[in-house]
Amino acid sequence: MHSICSQATAVPRSNFAFDSHAPALPTSKPINLRFCGLRKEAFGFSGLTHSCSSRVRFTSRGHSKRISASAENNGTPPKSFDYDLIIIGAGVGGHGAALHAVEKGLKTAIIEGDVVGGTCVNRGCVPSKALLAVSGKMRELQSEHHMKALGLQVSAAGYDRQGVADHANNLASKIRSNLTNSMKALGVDILTGFGTVVGPQKVKYGKVGFPDNIVTAKDIIIATGSVPFVPKGIEVDGKTVITSDHALKLESVPDWIAIVGSGYIGLEFSDVYTALGSEVTFIEALDQLMPGFDPEIGKLAQRVLINPRKIDYHTGVFATKITPAKDGKPVTIELIDAKTKEPKDTLEVDAALIATGRAPFTNGLGLENINVETQRGFVPVDERMRVIDANGNLVPHLYCIGDANGKMMLAHAASAQGISVVEQVTGRDHVLNHLSIPAACFTHPEISMVGLTEPQAREKAEKEGFEVSVAKTSFKANTKALAENEGEGIAKLIYRPDNGEILGVHIFGLHAADLIHEASNAIALGTRIQDIKFAVHAHPTLSEVLDELFKSAKVKATALSHVPVSEPVAV
């Protein structure tokens, strides 16, 4: 799960960024270059395959980029290797890369200093979905109007806090065990310890107090993930001032909790806490809640997810100092105006959750041994996830995926990047189109999106000289949604009417997180609206929301004769 960083700027909102320059190819003949989703290679040039002897790579700006000489001279690369591929970090990204590597016939090892599964499985996506499943059930049972509309009578709903916490912990344990067993069954060596790059194609790992082990590999992937970002001035005690890591343990349900940041993490926890009886106060640095969402979707979501609930908010303010509760005194939060920096207010609450995004976990990786300097903690990479050194040169045989590179801080994006890297090291060049990767916020109802927001699409259109159109459909017109008495929601399509290219899709409504994939796959495969209109959807299903959305789009007649869409750019 990723977070829009609202309180701080340590984590960039690169989810929706795009590079205006596509890679140039060394050829005099025009090439139809297509970037797509997970498995299809962008192009197949033998001259661009990743080999030991290759000395030149091509950058996204069309200039040749030499392999870092300093990296090659910093130690002697081994003549033979213990592994074909070593992955540092066994989160979702590392796991996805490892499984694909085995499928491609690579002898693979994965190094993990904590527990298999990383943030997503142990302190993120997985346990949070367990808590949100509970909050969803509680909301349904607590809604007398909803129950009566279905002809149901339910007595007062309650919950056992420890039972809810156990559900989240048990789910994480189960998924962690599944990931571990899947790698072991396929022959992936799991090496326990903290991994450090000590030189070209060489890694050391080990536990504190024990001798280090040295292993070598033809290629290395860094997949060390991220940790919660806590701005300066905030004192976290793990009890009354907490991060998402602590909140997922659900050791308490405070009467009143302030949530600093109203991105994905903050929104999801507000859903959990209010369902369990807490009052919530949002503290947001920007002028509006839910930054990063399409503005129209954000307004509707605020009307449904925030305004009717026990939630108030302060926007345009920074929390400059947060002091934990102590000696009978509450948590105190000092707020200043985000623009003028003048003192604004002081809040006293029972607890505070810091949901200001995540910071890359890259300290101690030994990047200085290969002349690599992080940028605000992120490992610099090109569009193929190849690590770039301090001189702007590519470090041979070294890649970085997932939260550690900051391109798109989502677990499934990390996995997709890992698969892309494995394709490259096995001889099939591949560039992942990040604009085809969906994101979701698992509130009730859910929010999902893929591609560009409307303002981003219009900005791109103005620069490149094309027209943008918008189509919308409502869940209130969907039979299945009405049968569930869940008609609140919309789907929004942003597209080019001249050629039918899908620029972005945003959904707010029942099971939005599941519905978005038809749109994301269409973007990944380059499917145009005029073609997807002919897709058949089962009736009555929620998928018909997307069916109606695509059918309502007005594509110009000149586009119906299979005019090629513009190529997506790599991120």
Side-chain angles (χ1 to χ4, degrees), residues 188 344 457:
V188 176
K344 195 77 177 285

Side-chain angles (χ1 to χ4, degrees), residues 50-57 66-78 198-202 369-371 389 393-397:
H50 201 312
S51 65
C52 297
S53 60
S54 178
R55 298 291 298 172
V56 179
R57 300 290 183 263
R66 294 197 172 275
I67 294 295
S68 171
S70 61
E72 290 195 343
N73 294 332
N74 185 7
T76 304
V198 294
Q201 300 168 292
K202 193 179 298 182
N369 297 329
I370 46 175
N371 193 33
D389 74 5
N393 298 317
L394 295 172
V395 179
H397 306 286

Side-chain angles (χ1 to χ4, degrees), residues 471-484 489-493 505 507 510-512 514-519 532-553:
K472 303 171 194 174
T473 55
S474 172
F475 278 68
K476 291 178 181 178
N478 181 265
T479 303
K480 185 64 161 57
L482 294 177
E484 299 276 352
I490 65 168
K492 178 177 180 178
L493 168 66
V505 174
I507 308 172
L510 183 65
H511 294 302
D514 299 309
L515 295 176
I516 195 66
H517 297 96
E518 181 172 5
I532 203 170
K533 281 185 176 187
F534 292 99
V536 180
H537 299 72
H539 175 77
T541 62
L542 292 173
S543 69
E544 291 175 294
V545 171
L546 272 294
D547 186 33
E548 293 299 323
L549 183 66
F550 293 128
K551 282 182 167 62
S552 67

Side-chain angles (χ1 to χ4, degrees), residues 239-322:
K239 298 295 182 182
T240 59
V241 180
I242 59 178
T243 67
S244 57
D245 285 2
H246 308 108
L248 289 166
K249 298 176 183 178
L250 202 70
E251 293 182 346
S252 66
V253 179
D255 292 334
W256 184 10
I257 184 168
I259 299 180
V260 184
S262 64
Y264 291 72
I265 296 174
L267 273 180
E268 291 188 348
F269 274 108
S270 76
D271 195 289
V272 171
Y273 281 120
T274 53
L276 299 183
S278 300
E279 294 184 25
V280 169
T281 296
F282 272 120
I283 298 170
E284 172 57 55
L286 298 183
D287 292 332
Q288 73 286 329
L289 295 175
M290 293 176 278
F293 292 93
D294 182 89
E296 185 174 10
I297 297 293
K299 288 179 181 178
L300 176 59
Q302 181 172 334
R303 181 170 66 82
V304 176
L305 300 177
I306 293 178
N307 295 348
R309 299 177 181 176
K310 294 181 178 179
I311 299 176
D312 66 351
Y313 51 88
H314 299 264
T315 57
V317 295
F318 283 122
T320 56
K321 185 177 181 180
I322 299 182

Side-chain angles (χ1 to χ4, degrees), residues 74-279:
N74 185 7
T76 304
K79 294 181 179 179
S80 60
F81 303 99
D82 299 313
Y83 294 95
D84 296 315
L85 179 66
I86 288 178
I87 303 163
I88 304 175
V92 171
H95 175 265
L99 265 57
H100 194 58
V102 171
E103 179 185 328
K104 303 290 281 189
L106 301 183
K107 183 182 180 184
T108 305
I110 195 163
I111 299 173
E112 179 53 61
D114 188 15
V115 288
V116 170
T119 294
C120 175
V121 172
N122 299 287
R123 299 174 299 279
C125 327
V126 171
S128 67
K129 297 306 139 330
L131 296 183
L132 285 160
V134 172
S135 71
K137 298 294 184 185
M138 282 294 293
R139 289 195 184 283
E140 195 169 12
L141 293 172
Q142 290 170 344
S143 175
E144 185 178 351
H145 173 75
H146 180 78
M147 290 289 105
K148 280 186 176 181
L150 296 174
L152 299 176
Q153 297 179 353
V154 180
S155 58
Y159 69 92
D160 170 43
R161 182 199 58 78
Q162 188 58 53
V164 175
D166 289 345
H167 172 53
N169 183 61
N170 292 340
L171 179 63
S173 297
K174 183 176 182 179
I175 302 301
R176 180 169 61 246
S177 177
N178 289 346
L179 293 183
T180 303
N181 292 337
S182 67
M183 289 193 292
K184 288 181 177 179
L186 290 172
V188 176
D189 286 349
I190 301 176
L191 310 178
T192 302
F194 188 85
T196 303
V197 179
V198 294
Q201 300 168 292
K202 193 179 298 182
V203 176
K204 72 175 181 180
Y205 72 95
K207 295 181 178 180
V208 176
F210 293 88
D212 288 331
N213 301 284
I214 302 291
V215 285
T216 61
K218 183 179 178 183
D219 294 286
I220 298 168
I221 297 176
I222 295 170
T224 48
S226 63
V227 295
F229 172 73
V230 179
K232 293 180 180 179
I234 296 177
E235 182 184 346
V236 174
D237 67 349
K239 298 295 182 182
T240 59
V241 180
I242 59 178
T243 67
S244 57
D245 285 2
H246 308 108
L248 289 166
K249 298 176 183 178
L250 202 70
E251 293 182 346
S252 66
V253 179
D255 292 334
W256 184 10
I257 184 168
I259 299 180
V260 184
S262 64
Y264 291 72
I265 296 174
L267 273 180
E268 291 188 348
F269 274 108
S270 76
D271 195 289
V272 171
Y273 281 120
T274 53
L276 299 183
S278 300
E279 294 184 25

